[in-house]
Amino acid sequence: MAVDFVGGSETIRHSQFGAYRTKDAVVDGIRAKTGRRPSVDLRDPDLRINVHLGGGFATVSIDMAGTPLHERGAGRRAGKAPLKETLAAATLRLAGWHERVKADQGDGLWLMDPLCGSGTFLFEGLGMALDRAPGLHRDRWGIDGWRVHDEGLFAGVLAEAKERQRAGQDRRVRVVGRDRLHAAIKGAEDNAQAMGLTAFVDLAQGELHDAVPPLGPPGLLITNPPYGERMAEAVEAQATMAELGNVLRHNFLGWSAAVFAGSIALSKRIGLRPDARVPIFNGPLDCRLLLLSISSKPVEGSGPGWKGQGDAEE
């Protein structure tokens, strides 16, 4: 077992001391009940206990997940300032990607991120399209050490999930990722290889202003542009958002887009009128998810001239 302790009180002023006291209490209780003392393994415990102490109350929880669920496994690596996989998956659902997957009649599915980083959106979207249960290849769960855990029932669930994965391998789906940084694309390529998804992925280094859709029916563009939290980066973040609006309106005719904006102010820089602005938190940051339907009507000229043709947000 292991204990994670957060918080304190007048008598418990150090989290490590709180963890020790919790461990002693649990160990003594189990020894009194069974006559045996459990051992402690801080790195890979069978059972992890979480304690939060504050305001005179302690909340004691048993971790039923084990490794955090956003860590999908299979050698996947995160890039610089990534979204957690769980948040990326929720964002894809808000953007209606799962409905596109359900409605697909074999015509093919296209998903693109022109600022892909390590490819979190792309791989979560692929997982949904190919019916790959997240965490399917984990070899350990928090429930494994639970006495009432039904191993037979869970084995049946895993077998069903693996069969669904095999059945989904023939789906026509293609994801396209671009990023101006070679290191980001290299990380995305390594992730695709580790997960056995290279056949479905088109990754290449490229600038945002050169982004064009792949050949095929209109798909979903989803991206998480830089937030510019530091003052020196704020101007660049605003320019990137404005450039993204231009690229969408000129190049992605008929597509849908979901843009994760790091602030309310930044969300207005894209220039396009969204179908919806969904409040969503990335940790402590109050963000907005912009859901956009890009007109299929071409615009005249280049640059932001389209803003005078009725497509701009008022």
Side-chain angles (χ1 to χ4, degrees), residues 111-117 121-122 176-181 185 204-213 220-226 240 243-244 247-248 252 255 257-259:
L111 181 70
M112 182 170 183
D113 185 349
L115 302 163
C116 69
F121 277 134
L122 302 180
V176 178
R178 299 288 182 265
D179 200 284
R180 67 182 181 85
L181 298 177
I185 292 299
Q205 189 174 356
E207 298 290 341
L208 174 59
H209 58 73
D210 293 327
V212 293
L220 172 66
L221 183 147
I222 186 166
T223 194
N224 178 34
T240 299
E243 185 176 39
L244 177 60
V247 168
L248 287 172
F252 287 82
W255 275 56
V259 178

Side-chain angles (χ1 to χ4, degrees), residues 245-246 249-250 270-273 297-314:
N246 285 334
R249 187 61 188 91
H250 282 281
I270 198 167
L272 291 163
R273 185 184 298 113
K297 180 181 178 182
V299 292
E300 299 176 2
S302 60
W306 54 269
K307 293 184 179 180
Q309 300 176 35
D311 295 290
E313 182 178 21
E314 297 177 356

Side-chain angles (χ1 to χ4, degrees), residues 96-105 109 125 128-130 171:
W97 176 246
H98 64 302
E99 297 294 347
R100 287 174 175 260
V101 170
K102 287 181 183 178
D104 178 45
Q105 298 295 319
L109 294 161
M128 291 182 187
L130 299 176
R171 185 185 291 277

